[in-house]
């Protein structure tokens, strides 16, 4: 599945909101879309109040016209269900379906996403509008598939939610004795003797129970997935040939386990808005592309013959990137670079929020392909260039070259956000990003995996503060290293079990044998504090009193209370090698260390001749390969390469010249 979106040409387009415009603008929209070579738009995401202005009374005429116009223009539609923004009549009729915060405050109408995903009235209304859309449009020729909802991620603490949580807990733990044990409720007199005593983690006097916090996140991920699946099943029943998906929103606040969700969508679709404006935006883009591709491996197999996991960049910003206090205008060419960086990592196209900038509403100044100024603008000219570029890349296919696997785990991310940890600076996603950044700057291709994924061909496995490790995951790591794989684990990996209970006998309980080292004491560092390392680098965030048990010291601490004690170690285990980092090295030191570990594992950079700042990604399909080169620096580089450069359709004999900010995509000579 996912095929109808991912088998044809690369997708190009974005959210299209014709309901915000008079009908006369629609024809111009389609003409401009054709000029830009847009071929897919998401329609109706927030159109519930226009589609169903009164309960059960539908206005479909405008949508009929829009879909026909788009179809006549050769533009396919991802038709959305509008359930992320219930209309005013709904909330007035069903105040009990409004969400409640952890503090017990019931939220009001006036923005979007204001509903409780468990409330029966909400679920019923969502099914009804989705069903009405399915009845009317499931066989419309413009449809390429369904886009359910928008960015599942809301939360709630109302009574509906509390009862559903209790049912979920009973299902997960079976009996109260097991739950009490998992949550260590002997602490602070929290022992439960009746299911009715359990509630969601509401605001409390002091620190909440970590087991409860973690289970609530898991429960909520499952709950939102249930809301999605309910709509998906109904849409699928109306036309089993149409793929169904929803767009993932990223961020550590999101209570969704995206890897688990991937098995339930026909196509992994992600929205990406970098939070950095400097090179950090490119680093984040690379990480998100690798994350999405990793999740896509859990999706239902795509019929794409080469077996490449299908995913799609569903939303991105054509221009401004949000930054603290202001919007940063993307430099000329950067939209193309960001889009193609996702395509390089397997996205079947580049989609944007949004097509046309609205004249009003909360996001009136969000960037769009058609700006407030209209099509006579730099952004629209770049949009036309991007449309051409994507057409020229139609032949690119196949898996991304990568021999390093980086583990990212939703539950570890949630658990390291709990209060009562030794440091507020702990962050699984931050550690994953730091390791990925180091690999990216050193030029190594990297796949993102979740615990338990098969690891064929990965020579180096990286665990970035993988805090929660159950017994099966510990065994998975052990087998990898014992069989000859290399491992690089950072501090706090394997310290707790799947219920966030600390593993006893010395940290990191789950991995002491593989790492050949254990930590007796933590030394969390203050924000901004650094320790010096014996290789001249520095460590931040964390330090530990390490006790080698078979491992050799690679780097030692060189000042402070740990002066002279091990900081980074490595250990032969079976046929493999396991590195341990007890601190977070500064970026340069980390990059050198990762390169060293990768070399030791026999991993080569994707394009050894590319200097730092020039990103290289290779896709391979059988004898064929394509090399993407991105020059993120502010000066020209000449990179030795041979083949045909697809964006300019020129033959490259010896080297490709990349101007500052330039991109090249080479079809390399077949092997
Ligand atoms: C996305 C969302 C869009 C729009 C966009 C603005 O997260 O799906 O509807 O709000 O952000 O950046």
């Amino acid at each position: 599945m996912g095929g109808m979106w991912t088998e044809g040409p690369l997708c190009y387009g974005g959210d299209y909101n014709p309901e915000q415009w008079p009908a006369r603008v629609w024809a111009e929209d389609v003409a401009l879309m054709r000029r830009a070579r847009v071929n897919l738009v998401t329609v109706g995401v927030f159109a519930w109040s226009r589609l169903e202005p009164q309960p059960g009374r539908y206005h479909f005429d405008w949508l009929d016209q829009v879909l026909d116009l788009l179809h006549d223009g050769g533009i396919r539609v991802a038709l959305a269900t509008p359930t992320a923004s219930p209309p005013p009549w709904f909330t007035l009729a069903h105040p009990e379906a409004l969400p409640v915060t952890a503090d017990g405050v019931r939220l009001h109408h006036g923005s979007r996403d204001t509903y409780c995903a468990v409330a029966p009235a909400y679920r019923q209304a969502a099914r009804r509008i989705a069903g009405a859309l399915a009845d009317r449009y499931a066989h419309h020729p413009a449809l390429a598939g369904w886009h359910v909802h928008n960015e599942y991620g809301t939360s709630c603490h109302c009574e509906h939610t509390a009862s559903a949580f209790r049912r979920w807990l009973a299902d997960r733990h079976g009996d109260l004795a097991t739950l009490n044990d998992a949550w260590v409720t002997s602490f602070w007199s929290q022992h439960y003797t009746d299911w009715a005593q359990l509630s969601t983690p509401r605001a409390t006097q002091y620190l909440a129970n970590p087991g409860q916090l973690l289970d609530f996140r898991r429960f909520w991920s499952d709950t939102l997935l249930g809301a999605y699946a309910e709509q998906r099943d109904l849409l699928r029943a109306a036309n089993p040939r149409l793929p169904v998906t929803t767009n993932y929103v990223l961020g550590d606040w999101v209570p969704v386990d995206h890897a688990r969700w991937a098995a339930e969508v026909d196509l992994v679709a992600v929205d990406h808005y970098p939070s950095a404006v400097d090179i950090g935006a490119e680093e984040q883009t690379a990480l998100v592309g690798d994350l999405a591709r990793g999740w896509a491996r859990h999706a239902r197999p795509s019929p794409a013959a080469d077996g490449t996991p299908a995913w799609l960049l569903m939303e991105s910003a054509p221009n401004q990137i949000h930054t603290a206090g202001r919007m940063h205008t993307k430099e000329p060419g950067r939209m193309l670079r960001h889009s193609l960086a996702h395509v390089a990592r397997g996205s079947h196209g580049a989609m944007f929020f949004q097509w046309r900038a609205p004249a009003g509403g909360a996001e009136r100044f969000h960037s769009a392909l058609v700006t407030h100024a209209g099509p006579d603008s730099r952004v629209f000219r770049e949009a036309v260039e991007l449309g051409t570029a994507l057409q020229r890349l139609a032949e690119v296919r196949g898996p991304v070259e990568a021999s390093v696997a980086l583990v990212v785990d939703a539950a570890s991310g949630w658990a390291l956000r709990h209060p009562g940890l030794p440091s507020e600076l702990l962050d699984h996603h931050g550690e994953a990003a730091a390791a990925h950044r180091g690999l990216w700057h050193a030029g190594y291709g990297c796949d993102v995996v979740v615990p338990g994924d098969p690891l064929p061909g990965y020579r180096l496995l990286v665990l970035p503060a993988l805090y929660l490790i159950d017994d099966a995951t510990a065994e998975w790591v052990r087998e990898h290293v014992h069989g000859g794989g290399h491992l690089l684990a950072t501090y706090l990996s394997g310290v707790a079990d799947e219920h966030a209970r600390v593993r006893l006998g010395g940290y990191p309980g789950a991995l002491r044998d593989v790492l050949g080292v254990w930590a007796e004491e933590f030394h969390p560092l203050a924000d901004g504090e650094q320790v010096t390392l014996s290789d001249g680098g520095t460590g931040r965030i964390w330090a530990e009193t390490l006790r080698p048990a078979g491992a050799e010291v690679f780097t030692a601490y060189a000042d402070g209370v740990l002066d002279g004690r091990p900081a980074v170690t490595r250990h032969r285990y079976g046929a493999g090698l396991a590195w341990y980092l007890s601190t977070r090295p500064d970026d340069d030191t980390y990059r050198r260390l990762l390169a060293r570990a990768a070399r030791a594992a026999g991993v080569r950079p994707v394009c050894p001749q590319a200097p730092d700042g020039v990103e290289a990604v290779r896709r391979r399909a059988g004898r064929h390969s394509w090399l993407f080169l991105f020059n993120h620096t502010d000066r020209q580089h000449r990179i030795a390469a041979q083949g045909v450069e697809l964006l300019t359709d020129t033959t490259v004999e010896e080297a490709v010249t990349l101007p500052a900010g330039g991109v090249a995509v080479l079809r390399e000579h077949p092997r």
Side-chain angles (χ1 to χ4, degrees):
M1 264 291 191
M4 301 190 68
W5 280 339
T6 55
E7 271 163 20
L10 293 175
C11 300
Y12 179 40
D15 278 41
Y16 177 40
N17 302 103
E19 71 276 15
Q20 296 170 4
W21 301 96
R24 68 187 143 72
V25 179
W26 302 345
E28 189 202 353
D29 281 330
V30 174
L32 290 175
M33 285 176 191
R34 287 177 62 82
R35 199 190 314 164
R37 295 181 160 80
V38 160
N39 57 22
L40 179 70
V41 288
T42 298
V43 178
V45 178
F46 294 112
W48 197 343
S49 65
R50 292 295 304 276
L51 291 167
E52 191 183 2
Q54 289 170 29
R57 309 230 353 227
Y58 303 107
H59 278 192
F60 286 134
D61 295 0
W62 67 272
L63 188 53
D64 292 351
Q65 279 181 53
V66 166
L67 294 191
D68 291 348
L69 259 176
L70 289 164
H71 181 60
D72 291 347
I75 295 152
R76 297 179 306 163
V77 172
L79 188 57
T81 65
T83 50
S85 206
W89 59 256
F90 173 79
T91 37
L92 203 62
H94 300 287
E96 83 291 353
L98 286 166
V100 173
T101 66
D103 291 335
V105 175
R106 202 174 273 282
L107 300 180
H108 298 280
H109 191 86
S111 179
R112 64 176 181 189
D113 293 313
T114 317
Y115 57 84
C116 164
V118 179
Y122 169 74
R123 292 285 276 265
Q124 194 191 14
R127 281 195 302 270
R128 196 174 61 200
I129 183 67
L133 287 165
D135 287 348
R136 193 167 184 98
Y137 298 112
H139 294 279
H140 193 289
L143 255 65
W146 295 101
H147 175 302
V148 173
H149 201 85
N150 188 67
E151 299 191 332
Y152 279 100
T154 55
S155 194
C156 183
H157 290 267
C158 74
E159 260 317 304
H160 294 301
T161 306
S163 326
F165 187 39
R166 286 191 278 273
R167 287 193 297 276
W168 184 94
L169 288 170
D171 202 40
R172 174 171 172 83
H173 295 283
D175 55 57
L176 282 171
T178 311
L179 178 142
N180 279 309
D181 184 45
W183 289 11
V184 195
T185 55
S186 49
F187 192 79
W188 280 351
S189 179
Q190 289 175 355
H191 190 85
Y192 294 100
T193 55
D194 191 317
W195 292 102
Q197 296 159 0
L198 285 147
S199 71
T200 65
R202 305 277 294 250
T204 50
Q205 189 72 359
Y206 189 41
L207 310 178
N209 180 301
Q212 182 193 19
L213 288 172
L214 188 56
D215 270 352
F216 184 65
R217 284 287 192 134
R218 290 181 170 131
F219 151 75
W220 199 251
S221 179
D222 287 356
T223 297
L224 293 179
L225 185 56
Y228 161 78
E230 195 169 80
Q231 290 195 36
R232 177 204 58 199
D233 293 349
L234 180 157
L235 299 167
R236 227 180 234 167
N239 182 354
R241 288 184 45 253
L242 284 182
V244 188
T245 192
T246 184
N247 50 336
Y248 288 1
V249 56
L250 310 180
D252 61 5
W253 59 273
V254 179
V256 166
D257 182 340
H258 290 124
R260 254 170 68 76
W261 274 52
E264 303 289 335
V265 296
D266 292 327
L267 170 73
V268 165
V270 304
D271 297 350
H272 186 231
Y273 297 93
S275 59
V277 300
D278 54 9
I279 188 76
E282 279 73 30
E283 294 164 353
Q284 290 177 12
T285 299
L287 173 58
V288 166
D290 288 342
L291 273 168
R293 194 175 66 258
W295 293 326
R297 274 197 283 151
H298 297 259
R300 295 207 294 162
S302 149
D306 60 22
T308 312
W311 71 276
L312 180 61
L313 174 69
M314 194 58 116
E315 279 185 30
S316 55
N319 189 10
Q320 279 97 5
I321 314 180
H322 282 276
T323 176
R326 72 178 173 101
M327 291 175 178
H328 171 85
T329 302
K330 277 192 187 177
E331 296 74 6
R334 211 169 184 194
M335 170 170 76
L336 180 95
R337 250 180 20 249
H338 284 178
S339 302
L340 297 195
H342 282 295
V343 171
R345 291 186 156 72
S347 173
H348 195 76
M351 304 280 291
F352 292 87
F353 182 86
Q354 56 191 326
W355 167 251
R356 187 183 275 279
E363 292 183 335
R364 59 208 172 287
F365 289 112
H366 196 286
S367 62
L369 293 168
V370 180
T371 66
H372 285 148
D376 182 12
S377 63
R378 170 185 75 87
V379 174
F380 190 71
R381 281 187 287 278
E382 291 196 22
V384 174
E385 272 170 43
L386 175 58
T388 309
L390 290 170
Q391 273 197 339
R392 294 193 169 156
L393 299 185
E395 66 177 64
V396 177
R397 60 191 193 283
V400 173
E401 196 174 87
S403 307
V404 180
L406 173 71
V407 183
V408 176
D409 170 51
S412 284
W414 298 335
L416 277 189
R417 283 280 173 236
H418 289 167
L421 290 164
S423 165
E424 287 177 355
L425 303 176
L426 301 173
D427 178 1
H428 168 63
H429 295 286
E431 283 305 322
H436 190 273
R437 197 160 63 231
L439 290 163
W440 187 80
H441 280 282
Y444 294 96
C446 171
D447 278 346
V448 174
V449 299
V450 296
D453 271 355
L455 296 172
Y458 296 117
R459 292 165 173 274
L460 178 63
L461 179 67
V462 180
L463 311 185
L466 188 70
Y467 178 56
L468 306 182
I469 289 194
D470 60 12
D471 292 346
T473 302
E475 196 47 38
W476 173 74
V477 174
R478 236 173 252 131
E479 266 178 30
H480 167 76
V481 186
H482 200 266
H486 287 211
L487 171 75
L488 186 142
T490 83
Y491 64 90
L492 278 178
S493 295
V495 161
D497 71 6
E498 67 273 29
H499 300 295
R501 292 179 302 204
V502 178
R503 289 175 173 274
L504 305 179
Y507 316 114
L511 301 176
R512 281 193 306 262
D513 52 349
V514 190
L515 297 172
V517 67
W518 60 280
E520 187 179 332
E521 270 185 275
F522 298 149
H523 298 267
L525 304 178
D527 202 1
E529 191 185 351
Q530 294 186 346
V531 280
T532 308
L533 303 174
S534 57
D535 61 2
T538 54
R540 296 195 304 115
I541 302 176
W542 195 256
E544 290 172 342
T545 309
L546 284 187
R547 303 261 304 260
E552 60 167 310
V553 179
F554 184 74
T555 309
Y557 290 104
D559 62 10
V561 286
L562 295 175
D563 194 1
R565 287 177 168 269
V568 176
T569 60
R570 53 182 183 181
H571 179 231
R572 289 247 154 247
Y573 180 79
L577 185 69
W579 300 73
Y580 182 64
L581 274 64
S582 65
T583 185
R584 157 83 80 77
D586 62 80
D587 275 8
D588 282 348
T589 307
Y590 206 175
R591 186 187 52 191
R592 280 197 302 274
L593 195 61
L594 283 159
R596 175 92 186 233
R599 264 199 314 277
V603 183
R604 278 171 52 80
V606 174
C607 179
Q609 60 275 30
D612 188 16
V614 175
E615 174 182 5
V617 184
R618 184 175 280 110
R619 307 269 301 267
R620 267 190 205 289
R623 296 174 55 237
H624 302 281
S625 62
W626 294 265
L627 178 65
F628 287 71
L629 293 168
F630 301 88
N631 183 358
H632 300 302
T633 72
D634 54 10
R635 59 198 177 85
Q636 178 173 301
H637 285 285
R638 210 169 141 70
I639 317 287
Q642 292 87 41
V644 175
E645 202 290 311
L646 298 178
L647 298 174
T648 51
D649 194 20
T650 50
T651 302
V652 175
E653 306 275 2
E654 285 175 6
V656 64
T657 302
L658 282 174
V663 185
V665 185
L666 279 111
R667 179 201 304 136
E668 298 180 301
H669 297 312
R671 284 197 286 193

